[in-house]
Amino acid sequence: MPSLLFVCHANIARSVSAEFIARARLGSASDWQVSSAGVRALVGEDIDPTMADAVRGIGVETTPHVARQVDLAMLKDADLVLAFEGTHRSWMLSESPKAVRNTFTIRSAALLLETIPRRAAPLPYLAHTKTPPGGDVDFADPYGRGEAAARQAVAEIDALLATILPGIDAVARTARLQTA
């Protein structure tokens, strides 16, 4: 089963929102295991209430969440890691240099997948491309900035995932069909 890991700073706003949205958008038929963590996680905390309201505002249910610290096992097990800032990506790569082939900022992954050649497989394409021209593209932290910032962040996460998820989910479905 392929694994998708979202990583932000505290694991109470961006990454957990992306986790909930990705699970909902992929649906129960998807083989992807989706999770989230933080590089400086507020371990044990739930999703920020303002972010939870914004996620529910786009029709995605939230469930109780327990923030967790990203660790080497998570990085090793993930097929794709999507960070929200270049500093998060850099921190993870310093902890696990082998993760360079599957760790991207969420904006960079979306930018790269917007220009993917027609018949290219998304994960190998990302692994060989690494970052778009100009480097990593950060996603501002909406935490503590109010309802409008939370709604904007959730809408942007949803839009980025609309670019990323169809390609990677097709890879998982193809692999499942080939092994059946």
Side-chain angles (χ1 to χ4, degrees):
M1 178 179 295
S3 173
L4 171 58
L5 175 65
F6 294 100
V7 178
C8 70
H9 192 77
N11 191 216
I12 61 167
R14 294 169 290 180
S15 60
V16 65
S17 295
E19 176 185 351
F20 288 136
I21 295 167
R23 273 199 201 123
R25 300 302 185 233
L26 287 167
S28 60
S30 175
D31 288 335
W32 281 88
Q33 177 183 339
V34 181
S35 62
S36 64
V39 296
R40 299 281 184 263
L42 294 177
V43 175
E45 294 293 317
D46 200 351
I47 185 173
D48 172 68
T50 305
M51 290 298 290
D53 288 344
V55 171
R56 288 189 295 271
I58 63 165
V60 173
E61 289 302 313
T62 61
T63 57
H65 168 71
V66 177
R68 60 193 189 138
Q69 177 69 32
V70 68
D71 62 30
L72 291 175
M74 289 178 204
L75 295 174
K76 182 181 173 235
D77 292 343
D79 293 289
L80 181 60
V81 180
L82 297 177
F84 280 82
E85 296 177 24
T87 56
H88 302 148
R89 181 175 182 265
S90 295
W91 181 88
M92 288 184 289
L93 295 179
S94 72
E95 296 295 310
S96 178
K98 290 181 181 181
V100 72
R101 292 194 163 282
N102 68 336
T103 304
F104 306 87
T105 64
I106 189 170
R107 287 189 189 275
S108 295
L111 285 170
L112 290 169
L113 290 173
E114 284 177 350
T115 61
I116 189 171
R118 182 175 164 92
R119 298 199 185 273
L123 295 179
Y125 176 76
L126 287 173
H128 288 95
T129 309
K130 295 185 184 64
T131 57
D136 287 322
V137 184
D138 289 344
F139 189 110
D141 191 351
Y143 180 73
R145 293 181 36 225
E147 293 175 15
R151 283 192 307 272
Q152 179 181 353
V154 165
E156 289 182 48
I157 291 167
D158 197 23
L160 292 167
L161 292 177
T163 299
I164 296 166
L165 297 178
I168 68 169
D169 195 38
V171 170
R173 283 193 311 271
T174 301
R176 184 178 61 225
L177 292 173
Q178 289 173 346
T179 59

